[in-house]
């Protein structure tokens, strides 16, 4: 099943108190202008499901989209440079941070990085910040079409090597992705499908376990 095909916009929120009651979610996050919106549109085979802008920081809310399996995809505000007032920037930081660390429905994180400029300081901070949740991360090296085949191979190898310290403490994977060439879609779908399957199995096991007996 292509989980992303025919994804539908569900709701947008700007405060944690307004988050919808969902069963399971995956979230997309990345530096401003890393290609996050384009990646979402490509995965969903939709031209403008997620808004693509030349202005970094355009996504200012948490946007929810319903997937084919009834679970949800969440588009989070970009981090890093954004031409917005400091008060709004501070609100984004808290909203993003609280969602990532406190949202129980979140089963995994898709982290978008520009393949030409991967593992920037803020990307590493995001990995550090999220690892305490124990949930998996899958990295998309977007705009891979901007690199030659040889450069793609070298970049993927160097990123995997740099991620080894992180992979020792949490499940983390990485792939090349191109919205322009529409390459890498199947791999993303497989990774996300496995996350939802694992979450469902864990929930079923928890429900099946007998309650602890009093001593």
């Amino acid at each position: 099943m292509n989980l992303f095909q025919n994804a539908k916009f569900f709701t947008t929120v700007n405060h944690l108190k307004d988050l919808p009651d969902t069963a399971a979610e995956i979230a997309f996050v990345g530096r401003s202008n890393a290609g996050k919106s384009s990646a979402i549109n490509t995965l969903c085979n939709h031209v403008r499901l997620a808004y693509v802008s030349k202005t970094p920081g355009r996504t200012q809310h948490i946007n929810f989209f319903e997937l084919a399996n009834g679970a949800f995809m969440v588009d989070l505000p970009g981090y890093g440079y954004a031409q917005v007032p400091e008060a709004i920037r501070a609100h984004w930081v808290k909203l993003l941070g609280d969602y990532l660390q406190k949202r129980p429905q979140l089963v995994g994180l898709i982290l978008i990085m520009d393949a030409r400029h991967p593992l920037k300081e803020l990307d590493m901070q995001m990995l550090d910040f999220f690892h305490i949740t124990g949930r998996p991360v899958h990295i998309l090296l977007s705009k891979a079409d901007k690199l030659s085949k040889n450069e793609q191979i070298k970049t993927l190898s160097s990123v995997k090597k740099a991620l080894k310290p992180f992979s020792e403490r949490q499940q983390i994977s990485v792939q090349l992705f191109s919205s322009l060439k529409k390459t890498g879609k199947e791999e993303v779908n497989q990774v996300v499908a496995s996350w939802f399957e694992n979450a469902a199995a864990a929930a079923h096991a928890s429900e099946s376990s007998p309650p602890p007996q009093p001593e």
Side-chain angles (χ1 to χ4, degrees), residues 148-158 176:
S148 67
K149 288 293 184 182
N150 190 46
E151 289 171 334
Q152 289 179 14
I153 293 170
K154 287 183 177 179
T155 297
L156 185 61
S157 177
S158 64
L176 295 165

Side-chain angles (χ1 to χ4, degrees), residues 87-136:
I88 295 178
R89 190 198 307 269
H91 173 70
W92 288 2
V93 170
K94 178 166 177 53
L95 183 67
L96 186 65
D98 286 350
Y99 172 84
L100 288 172
Q101 289 195 337
K102 299 177 181 179
R103 182 69 167 167
Q105 292 95 326
L106 183 60
V107 302
L109 184 68
I110 304 290
L111 177 55
I112 314 296
M113 299 182 193
D114 188 325
R116 299 166 297 177
H117 314 289
L119 300 176
K120 292 293 188 180
E121 182 179 354
L122 287 175
D123 298 324
M124 304 301 280
Q125 289 177 10
M126 176 59 70
L127 289 171
D128 254 336
F129 182 81
F130 190 69
H131 96 271
I132 67 169
T133 68
R135 295 167 184 148

